[in-house]
Amino acid sequence: MAVTGPDFISLQVRDLERSAAFYEQHLGLKRSAAGPPHAVVFDTKPIAFAVRDIVEGVDLDAIAQPGRGMALWLHAPDAQDIHDALAAAGTTIVSAPVDGPFGRTFTFADPDGYHVTLHDRG
């Protein structure tokens, strides 16, 4: 028996609709028809990505930075354009765009404080 790799990633969020709208409006993600009522699953490939209601016992307000220690990278062919739009909208940019082995790369903080890195080279 062996694990073949990740096949689903979700973030627990304070306000499901606010977070879903952020990812739709600012990153261009599209909602999938799949998913339970407590989550919004996006039509991402090859790995499904979702935002979901907070699980009982989790207090995001008690955490300095949700997800600290874990890196979430998303591919975006137009990373620089997304950066520019996020910055113009007042989104916190954690690290400015740089060119590296994964192409144009930058990190922003989503509405719940998760740090998400976008890169344009797959």
Side-chain angles (χ1 to χ4, degrees):
M1 292 187 358
V3 173
T4 60
D7 69 351
F8 190 83
I9 297 169
S10 68
L11 301 176
Q12 294 181 50
V13 297
R14 292 174 184 91
D15 182 327
L16 184 60
E17 282 306 316
R18 178 187 70 163
S19 290
F22 174 85
Y23 283 97
E24 286 176 307
Q25 294 168 6
H26 295 289
L27 273 62
L29 297 182
K30 305 289 184 213
R31 291 182 191 218
S32 167
H38 64 272
V40 173
V41 177
F42 297 102
D43 185 21
T44 55
K45 304 275 188 277
I47 298 170
F49 172 71
V51 290
R52 59 158 296 142
D53 288 333
I54 294 173
V55 174
E56 185 176 335
V58 173
D59 181 1
L60 290 181
D61 294 325
I63 302 169
Q65 178 198 331
R68 186 175 184 128
M70 179 154 194
L72 175 58
W73 285 52
L74 301 175
H75 177 254
D78 52 353
Q80 183 65 53
D81 292 339
I82 293 173
H83 164 272
D84 296 347
L86 286 170
T91 300
T92 299
I93 303 300
V94 176
S95 63
V98 296
D99 292 315
F102 300 102
R104 195 75 171 153
T105 305
F106 76 96
T107 303
F108 66 91
D110 82 353
D112 288 282
Y114 290 101
H115 289 188
V116 179
T117 299
L118 292 187
H119 66 100
D120 65 8
R121 186 178 305 146

